[in-house]
């Protein structure tokens, strides 16, 4: 019960890493709101965990404001925000990625962090505490060819995490990030271009521990960084990558 009494929001919580984080947070005693653009996925995760589902488009300011208002009303406040929602573009030479795909990647992966901060930080400052966790990627630490603009968006998230951490520390708010390697999530096929045994073997050969990240791996790291056990840790961008970035 390491999060007993805590109130958390997990964006993109309807599948993949987000679902793993919701499941672990709920098991550790937190009240959790599952925010996802796919409400049906959010509802299923909520039913399985006792969480509360909300339809949210994290790239839209009015949707994010509604999320914060409804989550606050439901839980009586917010202590933890996990910015997990994210997308990628298909692997392609940088000059061939469409402007539409570029805009969507930066809206979901970057603008969302600004929108959730704008909507939530005033309340966290008022209560003098809070933890924000941004889910970035090893792509933002050690970029791979043909995912250039996705790489850049995740590098932005890491820089934003550090900038937020140093500014919000005097208010008692901690901000950290996780950098997972690709995992068994709905985005895996997009990262690889195609999900075949050959592509999986090629990708796994770059990970010293020899396996993909799992939702459980990310949930364990998220639990630590969002718990009071990490109350002296802020501005950290933790790699959960099996050694991928060494």
């Amino acid at each position: 019960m390491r999060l007993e009494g805590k109130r958390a929001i997990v964006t993109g919580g309807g599948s993949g890493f987000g679902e793993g984080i919701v499941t672990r947070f709920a098991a550790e005693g937190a009240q959790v709101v599952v925010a996802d653009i796919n409400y049906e996925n959010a509802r299923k995760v909520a039913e399985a965990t006792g969480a509360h589902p909300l339809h949210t488009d994290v790239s839209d300011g009015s949707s994010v404001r509604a999320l914060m208002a409804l989550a606050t009303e439901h839980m009586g406040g917010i202590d933890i925000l996990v910015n997990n929602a994210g997308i990628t573009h298909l692997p392609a030479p940088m000059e061939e990625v469409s402007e539409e795909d570029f805009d969507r990647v930066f809206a979901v992966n970057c603008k969302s962090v600004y929108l959730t901060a704008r909507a939530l930080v005033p309340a966290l400052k008022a209560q003098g505490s809070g933890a924000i966790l941004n889910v970035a990627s090893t792509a933002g630490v050690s970029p791979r060819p043909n995912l250039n603009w996705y790489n850049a968006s995740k590098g932005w998230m890491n820089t934003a995490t550090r900038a937020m951490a140093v500014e919000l520390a005097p208010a008692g708010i901690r901000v950290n990030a996780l950098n997972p390697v690709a995992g068994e999530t709905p985005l895996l096929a997009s990262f690889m271009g195609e999900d075949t045994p050959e592509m999986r073997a090629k990708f796994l050969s770059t990970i010293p521990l020899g396996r993909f990240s799992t939702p459980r791996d990310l949930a364990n790291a998220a639990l630590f960084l969002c718990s009071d056990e990490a109350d002296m840790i802020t501005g950290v961008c933790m790699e959960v990558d099996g050694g991928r970035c060494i």
Side-chain angles (χ1 to χ4, degrees), residues 59-142:
S59 69
D60 179 77
S62 61
S63 183
V64 169
R65 286 192 297 271
L67 164 65
M68 297 304 171
L70 291 169
T72 299
E73 180 181 352
H74 176 72
M75 298 187 293
I78 300 165
D79 303 296
I80 298 168
L81 167 66
V82 180
N83 285 310
N84 168 74
I87 61 168
T88 185
H89 54 80
L90 292 174
M94 65 177 69
E95 70 275 16
E96 295 180 12
V97 175
S98 70
E99 185 174 354
E100 180 182 7
D101 282 348
F102 175 92
D103 287 343
R104 184 62 179 158
V105 165
F106 274 78
V108 174
N109 295 357
C110 302
K111 186 181 180 182
S112 63
V113 177
Y114 155 74
L115 292 174
T116 56
R118 186 178 67 167
L120 179 60
V121 163
L124 297 183
K125 284 183 174 180
Q127 70 188 27
S129 65
I132 298 173
L133 183 67
N134 299 323
V135 179
S137 170
T138 55
V141 180
S142 180

Side-chain angles (χ1 to χ4, degrees), residues 3 6 25 80 82 131 133 174 221-228 230:
L3 296 180
K6 301 292 187 181
F25 279 19
I80 298 168
V82 180
L133 183 67
R174 299 186 300 106
L223 171 62
F224 170 65
L225 288 176
C226 292
S227 74
D228 291 341

Side-chain angles (χ1 to χ4, degrees), residues 29-55:
Q31 293 185 70
V32 186
V33 165
V34 187
D36 205 291
I37 197 166
N38 185 322
Y39 180 76
E40 184 59 22
N41 283 355
R43 185 188 62 79
K44 289 178 181 178
V45 172
E47 285 184 353
T49 61
H52 182 72
L54 285 176
H55 174 267

Side-chain angles (χ1 to χ4, degrees), residues 116 125 130 151 159 172 180 193 200 203 221 245:
T116 56
K125 284 183 174 180
N151 297 336
T159 300
R200 283 188 172 231
F203 206 103
C245 290

Side-chain angles (χ1 to χ4, degrees), residues 149-207:
W149 308 118
Y150 172 78
N151 297 336
S153 74
K154 293 301 188 177
W156 183 98
M157 289 185 77
N158 283 322
T159 300
T161 295
R162 296 185 181 99
M164 293 168 72
V166 74
E167 180 171 331
L168 297 178
I173 302 165
R174 299 186 300 106
V175 187
N176 293 294
L178 294 177
N179 285 307
V181 73
E184 297 282 0
T185 75
L187 287 183
L188 182 59
S190 296
F191 288 131
M192 297 190 298
E194 56 178 343
D195 191 353
T196 65
E198 294 76 19
M199 287 300 295
R200 283 188 172 231
K202 181 179 178 180
F203 206 103
L204 285 171
S205 70
T206 69
I207 304 172

